[in-house]
């Protein structure tokens, strides 16, 4: 009988609630707040970025049909975290804080990045 191997959960450099800069793709140069991180696909939904248009079929409630604009997802490699202290994009790392917990920090300034999730 074959043994099923489970891979460890991904650790990404961005989290829900971070302000990020898009560094690649059609939305390059735009900034936004991360609404959702899709771990299975290595992608994230960012507010106001990668807007896609969906054509909705006519229904009883809307006999004309409609066009819906929604946010698509962006690959995580195309996002860079904005340092809250300086407002500039930065790479991130992890190191122990004063309480002995791993916390993200800005490699540009060395400051810790606060966790803004709800």
């Amino acid at each position: 009988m074959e043994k099923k191997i489970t891979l460890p959960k991904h650790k990404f450099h961005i989290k829900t609630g971070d302000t990020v800069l898009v560094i690649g793709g059609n939305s390059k140069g735009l900034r936004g707040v991360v609404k959702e991180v899709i771990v299975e696909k290595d992608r994230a939904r960012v507010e106001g970025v990668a807007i896609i248009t969906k054509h909705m079929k006519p229904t009883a409630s809307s006999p004309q049909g409609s066009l819906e604009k929604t946010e698509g997802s962006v690959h995580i490699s195309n996002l860079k975290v904005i340092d809250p202290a300086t407002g500039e994009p930065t790479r991130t790392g992890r190191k122990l804080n004063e309480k002995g917990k791993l916390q993200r920090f800005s490699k540009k300034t060395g400051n810790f990045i606060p966790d803004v999730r709800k």
Side-chain angles (χ1 to χ4, degrees), residues 22-77:
V22 181
I23 60 172
N26 291 339
S27 301
K28 183 177 180 177
L30 294 179
R31 292 177 183 227
V33 178
V34 177
K35 291 172 108 177
E36 173 190 11
V37 177
I38 306 164
V39 177
E40 301 81 31
K41 295 183 178 181
D42 295 346
R43 299 178 79 81
R45 287 192 203 290
V46 181
E47 200 172 287
V49 174
I51 301 296
I52 57 174
T53 304
K54 284 188 170 185
H55 294 263
M56 304 306 285
K57 278 185 155 184
T59 61
S61 60
S62 67
Q64 288 293 315
S66 63
L67 293 175
E68 269 187 28
K69 292 191 181 273
T70 59
E71 283 128 2
S73 60
V74 179
H75 197 271
I76 288 200
S77 66

